[in-house]
Amino acid sequence: MKELVDFQKEFNDHLNSYDFSRNPKNLYQPISYILQLGGKRLRPTLTLIGAEIFGVESKKALDAALSVEVFHNFSLVHDDIMDDAPIRRGKKTVHEKWDVNTGILSGDAMLILAYKLFETYDSNTFQALAKLFSKTALEVCEGQQYDIDFETRDDVLIEEYLKMIEYKTAVLVGASLQMGAIVAGASEEYQHKIYEFGKNLGIAFQIQDDYLDTFGDQEKFGKQIGGDIIENKKTYLYLEALNLANSDDKEQLGHLFSLSPSDPAEKINSVISIYKQYNIPERTQIAIKEYTELAYNVLDEIAISSGHKKMLIAIGQGLMSRKV
């Protein structure tokens, strides 16, 4: 049976063999650039695994996997423009290396290319992939808008936050697996279940990201601890603290998340102190565990080999135990 690294290599070989050298160069070079910046390649790898676990050689899902990765990177190009982010994976963002107009247009082309990659499949598979892709792409946009809206709202509920991260992050993880299942011709029941596995794992992944931003090891995390606090982001930790805090601490949190000091160290320490007072680190870890177990429970309802189940569980464990 293939190992995770085998799927990753198979996808990277396919990505590297795909020809993006078309004209006009200023449209296609940024596409090649962002796709070669690296990253975990989690989503396309899951697409290959999604095909393999339902009895089809993963190579048949390579174009679907590439579509997922192209779409994911399209969203990053446009996110970076909206955030005015200068760096992505240690390199200049597309709009910084070229310009904003190029970033917008190249991103648009990536979205179209993502659909175009489905053309290698038969009509029934194409239709099923396109239907899932359209639903997922729209939800990702909705999640991004929720995230933007939350920046100016002081009444965000945890339920709303969970819906936002489900749309912005988790649905693409679920869809990545389901696309592999579609290519393999799996039943609609199993397609739905493998999607639910990925979606719940994606929610746990994002909550873990929130946790690491505040309580991770800075050297291993690779960026400044407390970035979400500095940027006044309403994360799972912040909203859970607001729910539990007494009126004085709730007011203090609200005040701290309205500040943008030049030296944020005192602000970060004050917020962390309140989080610890209400056991937010422990409560966040419980939420991560709950969503991870929801994902694992779905696997018990899918008729795949024990080896494939173990691989999916190992992927989940790897994501949840990560330090970066």
Side-chain angles (χ1 to χ4, degrees), residues 165-181:
I165 63 173
E166 176 186 336
Y167 280 12
K168 187 174 178 180
T169 301
V171 294
L172 188 56
V173 179
S176 299
L177 279 162
Q178 187 177 347
M179 284 186 184

Side-chain angles (χ1 to χ4, degrees), residues 79 82-83 141-153 164 168:
D79 284 358
M82 284 185 276
D83 294 341
C141 291
E142 290 169 358
Q144 176 71 0
Q145 187 61 55
Y146 282 134
D147 196 18
I148 293 169
D149 291 346
F150 291 173
E151 291 177 7
T152 55
R153 280 182 52 191
M164 183 272 287
K168 187 174 178 180

Side-chain angles (χ1 to χ4, degrees), residues 51-184:
E52 191 94 6
I53 64 177
F54 289 112
V56 166
E57 289 185 2
S58 55
K59 66 181 181 181
K60 293 185 178 180
L62 280 168
D63 280 341
L66 184 54
S67 172
V68 168
E69 186 68 359
V70 169
F71 173 77
H72 173 57
N73 281 271
F74 142 75
S75 70
L76 297 182
V77 170
H78 280 196
D79 284 358
D80 286 342
I81 292 171
M82 284 185 276
D83 294 341
D84 196 21
I87 301 294
R88 166 70 62 182
R89 295 169 184 154
K91 303 287 186 180
K92 284 186 177 181
T93 49
V94 167
H95 70 278
E96 283 288 328
K97 186 173 176 62
W98 282 271
D99 53 52
V100 170
N101 287 346
T102 299
I104 292 170
L105 193 58
S106 292
D108 291 344
M110 291 175 78
L111 180 58
I112 297 164
L113 280 170
Y115 274 103
K116 190 170 177 59
L117 283 159
F118 296 146
E119 293 175 4
T120 59
Y121 297 100
D122 64 76
S123 58
N124 289 336
T125 304
F126 175 93
Q127 184 177 22
L129 289 170
K131 183 178 179 180
L132 173 61
F133 186 88
S134 296
K135 170 182 174 291
T136 305
L138 192 57
E139 286 173 340
V140 170
C141 291
E142 290 169 358
Q144 176 71 0
Q145 187 61 55
Y146 282 134
D147 196 18
I148 293 169
D149 291 346
F150 291 173
E151 291 177 7
T152 55
R153 280 182 52 191
D154 295 323
D155 59 346
V156 179
L157 303 175
I158 282 186
E159 292 77 12
E160 292 178 297
Y161 178 77
L162 290 172
K163 176 60 68 175
M164 183 272 287
I165 63 173
E166 176 186 336
Y167 280 12
K168 187 174 178 180
T169 301
V171 294
L172 188 56
V173 179
S176 299
L177 279 162
Q178 187 177 347
M179 284 186 184
I182 289 171
V183 172

Side-chain angles (χ1 to χ4, degrees), residues 34-319:
I34 186 70
L35 286 169
Q36 293 301 328
L37 287 186
K40 300 179 183 70
R41 311 294 192 204
L42 168 67
R43 296 158 190 82
T45 300
L46 289 176
T47 301
L48 300 184
I49 292 171
E52 191 94 6
I53 64 177
F54 289 112
V56 166
E57 289 185 2
S58 55
K59 66 181 181 181
K60 293 185 178 180
L62 280 168
D63 280 341
L66 184 54
S67 172
V68 168
E69 186 68 359
V70 169
F71 173 77
H72 173 57
N73 281 271
F74 142 75
S75 70
L76 297 182
V77 170
H78 280 196
D79 284 358
D80 286 342
I81 292 171
M82 284 185 276
D83 294 341
D84 196 21
I87 301 294
R88 166 70 62 182
R89 295 169 184 154
K91 303 287 186 180
K92 284 186 177 181
T93 49
V94 167
H95 70 278
E96 283 288 328
K97 186 173 176 62
W98 282 271
D99 53 52
V100 170
N101 287 346
T102 299
I104 292 170
L105 193 58
S106 292
D108 291 344
M110 291 175 78
L111 180 58
I112 297 164
L113 280 170
Y115 274 103
K116 190 170 177 59
L117 283 159
F118 296 146
E119 293 175 4
T120 59
Y121 297 100
D122 64 76
S123 58
N124 289 336
T125 304
F126 175 93
Q127 184 177 22
L129 289 170
K131 183 178 179 180
L132 173 61
F133 186 88
S134 296
K135 170 182 174 291
T136 305
L138 192 57
E139 286 173 340
V140 170
C141 291
E142 290 169 358
Q144 176 71 0
Q145 187 61 55
Y146 282 134
D147 196 18
I148 293 169
D149 291 346
F150 291 173
E151 291 177 7
T152 55
R153 280 182 52 191
D154 295 323
D155 59 346
V156 179
L157 303 175
I158 282 186
E159 292 77 12
E160 292 178 297
Y161 178 77
L162 290 172
K163 176 60 68 175
M164 183 272 287
I165 63 173
E166 176 186 336
Y167 280 12
K168 187 174 178 180
T169 301
V171 294
L172 188 56
V173 179
S176 299
L177 279 162
Q178 187 177 347
M179 284 186 184
I182 289 171
V183 172
S187 68
E188 288 192 11
E189 177 189 1
Y190 284 168
Q191 286 182 34
H192 174 73
K193 289 185 184 301
I194 202 67
Y195 175 91
E196 287 297 310
F197 167 80
K199 184 188 76 174
N200 285 310
L201 206 61
I203 293 173
F205 177 90
Q206 186 56 55
I207 299 175
Q208 172 82 340
D209 235 32
D210 290 356
Y211 174 86
L212 289 173
D213 187 274
T214 301
F215 293 103
D217 184 310
Q218 182 160 318
E219 285 189 17
K220 294 178 180 177
F221 193 49
K223 58 182 180 180
Q224 181 178 12
I225 292 300
D228 288 342
I229 295 172
I230 294 171
E231 296 174 22
N232 297 322
K233 286 190 175 181
K234 300 175 179 73
T235 63
Y236 185 90
L237 287 76
Y238 172 78
L239 296 173
E240 184 75 350
L242 276 187
N243 273 350
L244 296 170
N246 61 37
S247 57
D248 288 343
D249 289 334
K250 188 177 296 187
E251 184 178 345
Q252 174 70 351
L253 265 179
H255 172 68
L256 288 166
F257 272 70
S258 70
L259 303 176
S260 299
S262 55
D263 182 1
E266 185 177 347
K267 172 183 173 178
I268 293 171
N269 290 334
S270 296
V271 171
I272 288 176
S273 177
I274 294 174
Y275 284 173
K276 288 181 176 179
Q277 180 182 340
Y278 291 96
N279 299 317
I280 300 305
E282 295 79 7
R283 295 179 73 89
T284 305
Q285 287 294 312
I286 289 171
I288 294 165
K289 184 178 179 182
E290 286 175 350
Y291 278 100
T292 305
E293 288 179 350
L294 277 175
Y296 292 163
N297 289 341
V298 174
L299 292 181
D300 294 333
E301 303 170 9
I302 305 176
I304 56 177
S305 73
S306 60
H308 286 138
K309 286 184 181 180
K310 287 178 181 176
M311 180 167 59
L312 290 170
I313 290 171
I315 290 171
Q317 289 173 338
L319 291 175

